[in-house]
Amino acid sequence: MKTVLLLGATSDIGQALADKYAKEGYTVWLAGRNTNHMQDIAADLKIRHEVAVEYYKFEALDYVSHQKFYTDLPGIPDITVCIFGYLGDQEKAESAWDECQNILDTNYKAAVSILNIVASSYEERSVGTIVGISSVAGDRGRQSNYFYGSAKAGFTAYLAGLRNRLFKHNVHVLTVKPGFVDTKMTEHLELPAPLTAQPSKVAGAIFKAVKKRKNTIYVLGIWWLIMTIIKSIPEPIFKRLKL
C-alpha cells in the first residue's frame, strides 16, 4: 500500500488531497499543528474510505524539529506534498517586519527546511515524489502581493533546482500553481469565479500530474495564458500598471 504525507493537512487543499488519496486506496499521513482537527479528519476518512490514516504534529516554523519529525515517522512516504502557506497582509507587511518575516519564512524557509530532509531520503533510496504548492504570484512581482509572490518565486526556483538535482535519482518533483482557490485563506477576497478553483479540483489535478510525472502544472489552464501575458509586458509599461 502506497503512502502519502501531507504537510499542512488541515488546510482546505490538504483536506481535499487527503480525501482524494484515501479514496484511491493510499495510506494517508496527515501532518499539521492542529491535532484535534487532524483526529477528526482521520476518523472521517477511515469510515468513508476504509484506509489507514494517521496524523502527526508538525510545526512548519520550528525548523530544528523537522529532522526529528521526519525520522519519527513509521516509514518513508512514497509521496510528500508540501501544502502549508501563509498569504499574509501585504499592506501591513510593508511597515511591520514581523508580518513580512512570517510571510517569507512560512512560504519559503519552512518549506525548504522540511523538503531538504525529504529530498535526501528519496535521493538515497532512488525513489519518491515531492509535490510543492507554489503560486502564480511567483511568476512576476506585483504591488498587491509582492512579499507572498517573492517567497513563492523562490519556492518555485527551489523546486526547479531540486527537480534538476533528483531527476537522475528517479525522484519526481512536481510544482503546482493553483491560481485562485476558494479556501479559508482567500475567503476575505472577491475572487472571479471563472479563475477560481475548488480545493477538490486542485487535489484531482495534483493526483493526475503525479501519475503522469509532470514537472509543473497550472490547475486552471487559463492561468498559464494570463501569466504568459503578464510576464511578456515590458517593464517600462508594467511598472505603471496597478496590479
Side-chain angles (χ1 to χ4, degrees), residues 135-209:
S135 173
V136 298
D139 284 6
R140 190 166 191 179
R142 289 169 288 131
Q143 63 180 305
S144 59
N145 65 353
Y146 60 84
F147 293 121
Y148 177 79
S150 62
K152 287 298 190 181
F155 189 43
T156 295
Y158 169 80
L159 292 168
L162 203 58
R163 183 161 45 244
N164 187 222
R165 166 191 160 192
L166 297 178
F167 174 74
K168 58 182 174 292
H169 297 284
N170 193 40
V171 177
H172 176 213
V173 179
L174 169 65
T175 305
V176 181
K177 299 180 181 181
F180 295 146
V181 185
D182 184 15
T183 66
K184 291 188 290 290
M185 193 167 78
T186 61
E187 62 186 2
H188 62 292
L189 303 174
E190 293 184 11
L191 303 178
L195 302 181
T196 305
Q198 294 300 314
S200 58
K201 175 82 173 179
V202 179
I206 291 172
F207 186 84
K208 288 180 183 175

Side-chain angles (χ1 to χ4, degrees), residues 45-230:
L45 293 174
K46 288 176 182 176
I47 292 172
R48 289 194 294 114
H49 301 299
E50 297 182 340
V51 295
V53 184
E54 304 295 338
Y55 59 93
Y56 305 95
K57 180 85 171 177
F58 173 71
E59 291 281 357
L61 294 178
D62 186 5
Y63 314 127
V64 175
S65 72
H66 288 181
Q67 182 65 63
K68 186 176 187 310
F69 159 79
Y70 193 70
T71 303
D72 286 349
L73 292 174
I76 307 284
D78 297 284
I79 303 170
T80 297
V81 188
C82 185
I83 309 152
F84 62 80
Y86 177 59
L87 185 60
D89 184 324
Q90 169 70 29
E91 285 191 19
K92 181 179 177 183
E94 290 172 8
S95 56
W97 171 245
D98 286 351
E99 177 70 358
C100 182
Q101 185 177 35
N102 197 15
I103 295 170
L104 301 178
D105 286 355
T106 304
N107 294 297
Y108 183 72
K109 286 177 64 178
V112 169
S113 174
I114 184 61
L115 291 186
N116 277 350
I117 295 166
V118 176
S120 293
S121 76
Y122 285 178
E123 182 178 38
E124 186 177 342
R125 298 167 69 231
S126 294
V127 68
T129 295
I130 292 171
V131 180
I133 308 295
S134 190
S135 173
V136 298
D139 284 6
R140 190 166 191 179
R142 289 169 288 131
Q143 63 180 305
S144 59
N145 65 353
Y146 60 84
F147 293 121
Y148 177 79
S150 62
K152 287 298 190 181
F155 189 43
T156 295
Y158 169 80
L159 292 168
L162 203 58
R163 183 161 45 244
N164 187 222
R165 166 191 160 192
L166 297 178
F167 174 74
K168 58 182 174 292
H169 297 284
N170 193 40
V171 177
H172 176 213
V173 179
L174 169 65
T175 305
V176 181
K177 299 180 181 181
F180 295 146
V181 185
D182 184 15
T183 66
K184 291 188 290 290
M185 193 167 78
T186 61
E187 62 186 2
H188 62 292
L189 303 174
E190 293 184 11
L191 303 178
L195 302 181
T196 305
Q198 294 300 314
S200 58
K201 175 82 173 179
V202 179
I206 291 172
F207 186 84
K208 288 180 183 175
V210 168
K211 285 285 187 185
K212 295 180 178 179
R213 295 180 74 83
K214 292 199 171 184
N215 299 316
T216 299
I217 63 166
Y218 289 82
V219 172
L220 298 180
I222 186 68
W223 277 107
W224 175 85
L225 179 60
I226 291 170
M227 298 316 298
T228 298
I229 293 171
I230 288 178

